[in-house]
Amino acid sequence: MLRTTGWEVSTWFVVGFAGLFALAGVAAAVLGGIFEVRTDTVAAIGFVLASLVLLGAVIGVVVSGLIWSRGTRQIAEAYGSSGRSYTRHWGTRIYSFCLVFSFGVSWLAADRTAPAVLFTQATLRALGAAALIGGVLHSRARILRLIAQAHQVGHGAHPPVAGGDPAWALNPTPTSDDWNAGQWDPDVMRDIEARRHRDQT
């Protein structure tokens, strides 16, 4: 059986780094706004640290995201599904858009440290991080359902299909009833009995 411990760890690393990314973005906006209003050494140092944490969180999201994508693809393909549908989810697209747009806002702004610019960036980053977390957790839930269905099949149950009946257990050991024609089709059994009576007469 394919081990999923490493994949689970990478999943929560992505979630953790995305959450750190959102918090660092908000902290940078708040501390940058304070530093803009009045000269405050503590706020200035905090803004620099928050910016460094933000950069580290971006790197962490990218690295852990690549590891997670590889593990997700391997698990999905091992259980007979396409890994691409699990890794290229809506959360990644929204996160990438928000990240690029936040850098674009800073690049186009006349004053990159203006409170309006910083809080716009923080909002975009928080939105992107929330989408990434939601997308990763949604893909995780889908993978776990895929694994559960595969285990049901392995234990003698049919996986449910769209519009069909729920899974039902199969008896792996043949019984005498399996060879009883009356259990298959009563008409067949009646025809057999009628022929037997004709042969006797």
Side-chain angles (χ1 to χ4, degrees):
M1 183 183 297
L2 189 64
R3 298 184 63 181
T4 60
T5 304
W7 170 74
E8 285 279 9
V9 172
S10 66
T11 299
W12 295 113
F13 263 100
V14 175
V15 171
F17 277 119
L20 182 63
F21 173 79
L23 292 176
V26 172
V30 172
L31 294 172
I34 295 174
F35 181 60
E36 178 68 15
V37 174
R38 57 189 174 85
T39 303
D40 191 326
T41 304
V42 176
I45 295 175
F47 175 74
V48 173
L49 291 176
S51 299
L52 291 176
V53 172
L54 184 66
L55 179 60
V58 172
I59 296 173
V61 167
V62 172
V63 173
S64 60
L66 290 175
I67 297 173
W68 174 84
S69 296
R70 181 173 178 270
T72 301
R73 187 171 59 253
Q74 288 177 341
I75 292 174
E77 292 173 354
Y79 285 97
S81 184
S82 173
R84 181 173 299 181
S85 64
Y86 294 89
T87 57
R88 296 185 179 182
H89 52 78
W90 49 271
T92 303
R93 298 186 182 93
I94 296 177
Y95 173 77
S96 301
F97 171 79
C98 291
L99 182 63
V100 172
F101 195 43
S102 68
F103 284 119
V105 168
S106 177
W107 184 68
L108 294 174
D111 184 5
R112 298 180 179 179
T113 60
V117 174
L118 293 175
F119 281 103
T120 300
Q121 286 183 302
T123 301
L124 289 169
R125 289 163 179 167
L127 178 62
L132 180 62
I133 292 172
V136 168
L137 293 180
H138 181 239
S139 291
R140 175 181 179 271
R142 292 178 59 205
I143 286 289
L144 293 179
R145 284 198 301 269
L146 178 67
I147 295 174
Q149 290 177 357
H151 287 172
Q152 287 179 353
V153 173
H155 286 84
H158 291 294
V161 295
D165 295 329
W168 67 87
L170 296 178
N171 189 356
T173 305
T175 63
S176 59
D177 289 337
D178 295 330
W179 306 104
N180 187 350
Q183 297 290 336
W184 306 337
D185 191 342
D187 293 334
V188 173
M189 189 64 182
R190 283 194 294 268
D191 185 59
I192 293 174
E193 291 294 336
R195 291 184 181 184
R196 182 180 301 168
H197 287 303
R198 283 199 304 269
D199 292 340
Q200 291 176 354
T201 57

